[in-house]
């Protein structure tokens, strides 16, 4: 693959026509500072060693790859191998970039890390990273979500972050973003807004990708040592797209390896209740960057839906948009029903309860495995564990 491909984004933060900094000049200056500090610090051995140390002894990296033998045999066809990000401390891949962001904040002498959270997963990972690094953390969360996500709310409080309930508007994620962002604008020089995926203005899509790319670096090496060859296909779910970019990045130059991002089709692509940005979105902008979005005629984000709240986003990371256009990654979608089926099937064939987000990737692998040969391998990024979803699923299925 030509080098330009891996040199992305360009100096303005563009991946082709996507990304950039669609923000007021005052904020652009702050983002440029973050970019400069990041480019500088990530080169240093001190920063790399500290992050590597935390990945190893705090997160528990490398996470294993695991051949899901009973699942593969049940489906027939390709071997399904899981990258076990569900085994990380705090239960998902998010800790990989939260640690990077918290360390950068500390390095830059920021006084407070700010973020919003929907279901609370980003909030818990960030609050943990901030407690560890020793920096103040403030999380904004809609009142409706606070009522729904009790275990994560309690965890964030125990971890010592300031939890700000958001009472305006729909009292959910969108209003939490607005509220946290207003607080950030009070002092963007001293505060930092820790974005939870490969989205937002430059340099966040680049930084979050870099912090997550450990997943693919490990997985590629593990496939070579343990299976003697690269996988034929790598599959990951896509909300904003951080776990997918994390596992895809190292495989981008391996042209023989097919890469598949799986979006939530919710109740069906032909209903309004989905969040399939690639399948149904158009070129637009959201949260300070250009990407495919699900938008109305005025360019306002449409309400989106998925059974997995972590996939419920009307935009998608700019690098994914570029990779779709050049055809390097295929984007497919999985419905709520297929996701629930994969959730139960993985639990009962392998004794692994996946996050509903990750179950989308598992569901796609289960479907496509049947069309492949037993000599072929599908590597699935199991982005998180399903403890958070167990009550919901058992109620839904009447277990
Ligand atoms: C948040 C989350 C996701 C979705 O985020 P991406 O940025 O698309 O990876 C996927 N899986 C789990 C377990 C999550 O917590």
């Amino acid at each position: 693959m030509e080098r330009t491909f891996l040199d992305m984004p360009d100096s303005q933060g563009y991946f082709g026509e996507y990304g950039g900094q669609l923000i007021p000049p005052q904020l652009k200056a702050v983002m440029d500072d973050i970019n400069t500090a990041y480019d500088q610090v990530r080169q240093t051995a001190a920063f790399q060693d500290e992050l590597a140390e935390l990945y190893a002894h705090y997160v528990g990296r490398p996470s294993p790859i695991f051949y899901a033998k009973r699942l593969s045999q049940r489906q027939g066809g390709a071997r399904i191998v899981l990258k076990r990000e569900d085994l990380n401390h705090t239960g998902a891949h998010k800790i990989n970039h939260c640690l990077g962001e918290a360390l950068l904040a500390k390095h830059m002498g920021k006084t407070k890390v700010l973020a919003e959270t929907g279901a609370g997963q980003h909030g818990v990972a960030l609050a943990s990273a901030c407690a560890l690094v020793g920096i103040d953390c403030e999380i904004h969360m809609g009142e409706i979500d606070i009522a729904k996500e009790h275990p994560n709310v309690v965890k964030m409080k125990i971890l010592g972050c300031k939890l700000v309930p958001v009472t305006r508007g729909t009292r959910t994620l969108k209003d939490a973003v607005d509220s946290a962002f207003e607080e950030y604008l009070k002092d963007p020089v001293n505060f930092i807004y820790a974005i939870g995926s490969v989205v937002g203005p430059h340099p966040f899509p680049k930084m979050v990708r870099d912090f997550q790319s450990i997943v693919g670096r490990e997985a590629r090496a593990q496939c070579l040592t343990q299976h003697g060859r690269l996988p034929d296909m790598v599959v990951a779910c896509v909300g904003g797209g951080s776990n997918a970019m994390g596992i895809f990045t190292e495989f981008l130059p391996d042209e023989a390896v097919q890469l598949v991002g799986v979006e939530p089709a919710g109740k069906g692509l032909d209903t309004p209740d989905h969040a399939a940005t690639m399948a149904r979105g158009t070129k637009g902008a959201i949260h300070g960057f250009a990407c495919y979005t699900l938008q109305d005629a005025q360019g306002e984000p449409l309400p989106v839906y998925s059974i997995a709240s972590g996939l419920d986003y009307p935009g998608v990371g700019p690098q994914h948009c570029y990779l779709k256009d050049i055809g390097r990654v295929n984007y497919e979608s999985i419905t709520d029903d297929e996701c629930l089926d994969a959730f139960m099937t993985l639990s009962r064939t392998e004794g692994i309860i996946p996050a509903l987000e990750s179950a989308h990737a598992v569901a796609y692998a289960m479907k496509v495995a049947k069309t492949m040969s037993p000599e072929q391998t599908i590597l699935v990024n199991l982005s998180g564990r399903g403890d958070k979803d167990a009550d919901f699923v058992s109620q839904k299925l009447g277990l």
Side-chain angles (χ1 to χ4, degrees):
M1 192 83 32
E2 62 282 23
R3 255 189 77 64
T4 52
F5 196 83
L6 296 173
D7 283 349
M8 301 211 141
D10 68 16
S11 63
Q12 304 302 304
Y14 278 93
F15 302 86
E17 59 191 290
Y18 308 102
Q21 295 174 317
L22 312 180
I23 47 179
Q26 170 220 17
L27 264 186
K28 183 173 173 349
V30 173
M31 290 300 153
D32 289 343
D33 274 354
I34 296 175
N35 187 44
T36 306
Y38 170 70
D39 280 346
Q40 214 167 43
V41 78
R42 76 161 166 171
Q43 312 286 355
T44 65
F47 186 82
Q48 300 209 340
D49 290 351
E50 190 169 8
L51 197 56
E53 182 79 14
L54 292 179
Y55 281 165
H57 303 296
Y58 184 73
V59 180
R61 307 207 66 90
S63 65
I65 58 167
F66 176 73
Y67 169 36
K69 191 172 168 188
R70 281 188 9 100
L71 179 68
S72 306
Q73 283 169 352
R74 177 184 187 274
Q75 295 310 110
R79 295 156 55 96
I80 299 174
V81 172
L82 308 173
K83 176 62 172 165
R84 301 287 313 274
E85 291 298 292
D86 61 313
L87 294 177
N88 293 343
H89 176 51
T90 70
H93 71 288
K94 287 197 172 71
I95 192 71
N96 300 328
H97 66 249
C98 286
L99 281 175
E101 288 176 326
L103 280 183
L104 180 67
K106 183 93 174 172
H107 173 85
M108 291 185 74
K110 301 280 184 183
T111 56
K112 181 160 82 176
V113 178
L114 269 158
E116 82 290 339
T117 194
Q121 296 302 110
H122 178 49
V124 169
L126 193 63
S128 304
C130 289
L132 174 76
V133 168
I135 189 166
D136 282 353
C137 179
E138 180 176 314
I139 310 271
H140 293 233
M141 187 171 186
E143 263 191 337
I144 302 259
D145 292 329
I146 289 182
K148 263 179 26 193
E149 307 291 344
H150 189 251
N152 279 341
V153 170
V154 182
K155 281 185 202 162
M156 283 185 273
K157 288 183 179 165
I158 292 172
L159 290 163
C161 84
K162 180 175 168 195
L163 189 71
V164 178
V166 178
T167 56
R168 67 173 82 174
T170 58
R171 294 178 289 154
T172 57
L173 181 63
K174 181 185 172 299
D175 304 286
V177 175
D178 294 344
S179 168
F181 203 69
E182 274 167 32
E183 176 64 21
Y184 175 57
L185 288 181
K186 287 181 188 163
D187 191 357
V189 173
N190 288 305
F191 300 164
I192 189 166
Y193 197 109
I195 294 178
S197 188
V198 285
V199 299
H202 178 62
F204 280 92
K206 169 181 80 170
M207 287 196 317
V208 172
R209 173 201 65 195
D210 292 353
F211 292 137
Q212 286 295 346
S213 64
I214 181 80
V215 178
R217 272 201 303 285
E218 285 175 5
R220 190 176 183 281
Q222 287 166 323
C223 286
L224 289 174
T225 5
Q226 293 170 41
H227 303 295
R229 53 190 293 264
L230 293 177
D232 297 276
M233 183 186 283
V234 180
V235 180
C237 65
V238 176
S242 65
N243 86 87
M245 278 321 304
I247 199 160
F248 290 166
T249 295
E250 192 72 5
F251 290 99
L252 285 175
D254 301 315
E255 287 182 65
V257 179
Q258 289 186 59
L259 306 175
V260 182
V262 183
E263 298 190 303
K267 295 177 184 162
L269 289 184
D270 297 325
T271 74
D273 295 325
H274 65 76
T277 314
M278 294 299 198
R280 288 290 190 264
T282 48
K283 290 177 187 179
I286 189 172
H287 296 141
F289 70 104
C291 64
Y292 284 104
T293 64
L294 292 163
Q295 56 191 334
D296 64 17
Q298 283 70 47
E300 288 300 310
L302 287 169
V304 285
Y305 161 83
S306 166
I307 193 171
S309 50
L311 300 183
D312 204 342
Y313 185 62
V316 61
Q319 191 166 9
H320 284 290
C321 302
Y322 174 77
L323 292 168
K324 172 185 159 72
D325 284 4
I326 64 165
R328 179 65 188 93
V329 180
N330 293 326
Y331 294 86
E332 304 284 348
S333 62
I334 282 293
T335 64
D336 284 2
D337 288 345
E338 292 170 313
C339 162
L340 277 172
D341 175 58
F343 179 98
M344 293 305 298
T345 305
L346 185 67
S347 298
R348 292 183 175 187
T349 54
E350 302 292 345
I352 297 172
I353 303 177
L356 282 169
E357 290 81 5
S358 323
H360 283 75
V362 175
Y364 182 76
M366 284 166 56
K367 221 156 66 168
V368 78
K370 295 179 191 168
T371 69
M372 294 165 67
S373 84
E375 288 76 49
Q376 293 185 296
T377 301
I378 306 171
L379 173 68
V380 177
N381 199 9
L382 201 71
S383 54
R385 61 178 176 241
D387 305 37
K388 66 184 179 60
D389 302 312
D391 282 342
F392 172 82
V393 172
S394 73
Q395 271 169 27
K396 175 116 188 142
L397 300 181
L399 301 178

